[in-house]
Amino acid sequence: MYQRSSFLLICCMDITKPVSPNTVVSQLRNEIAKQEAACGCELGAVFALGALMLFIGHLAVNYTNWSATGAVGRGVLWVAGCSLFGKLLGLAWARWRLLQLRGELDRTLTSHWHVPNAEKE
């Protein structure tokens, strides 16, 4: 199970204790595994809920001459489209974050375990 990083967790960390490179690498690898497993469903669900609320609000405020089938069909298409957009946005965010974390892991490994290049000898 992965632990979500939160603002309070980051702010309340004891920065007076030295952090071992192994701990940093382990945390980065856990975060990378979390981002690799991301499917975008969380943001898709938020977008779907928001779209459903907006559509219900639209029906409550505006008088429509739609049939019940037409209103339900439009609502389903609206909510499905918004949830798909949210899912794709969540996937894009996870991939971008994954690239950032891999670069950070590479920099961490390079700085802590620098091995001279054997090809130059």
Side-chain angles (χ1 to χ4, degrees):
M1 182 63 57
Y2 301 107
Q3 180 183 6
R4 294 177 184 260
S5 56
S6 67
F7 182 72
L8 286 176
L9 183 64
I10 293 169
C11 289
C12 297
M13 288 183 356
D14 188 4
I15 59 173
T16 58
K17 294 181 182 177
V19 178
S20 77
N22 292 335
T23 304
V24 173
V25 169
S26 176
Q27 289 173 347
L28 284 172
R29 286 185 175 159
N30 286 340
E31 188 69 24
I32 286 172
K34 177 183 148 193
Q35 295 301 325
E36 284 177 339
C39 65
C41 293
E42 197 172 310
L43 194 58
V46 170
F47 271 61
L49 183 62
L52 182 63
M53 288 178 164
L54 285 174
F55 188 73
I56 290 172
H58 170 72
L59 288 179
V61 172
N62 297 327
Y63 172 76
T64 60
N65 197 12
W66 303 338
S67 66
T69 307
V72 169
R74 285 182 181 93
V76 167
L77 287 175
W78 169 252
V79 171
C82 286
S83 67
L84 180 64
F85 177 72
K87 182 174 177 74
L88 293 175
L89 196 61
L91 281 171
W93 172 258
R95 297 300 169 236
W96 180 80
R97 182 74 181 127
L98 182 62
L99 290 174
Q100 298 298 316
L101 288 168
R102 284 184 176 162
E104 188 176 340
L105 179 63
D106 186 41
R107 286 187 300 276
T108 302
L109 289 174
T110 304
S111 66
H112 289 292
W113 290 284
H114 182 67
V115 178
N117 192 351
E119 295 174 5
K120 291 184 179 180
E121 292 178 5

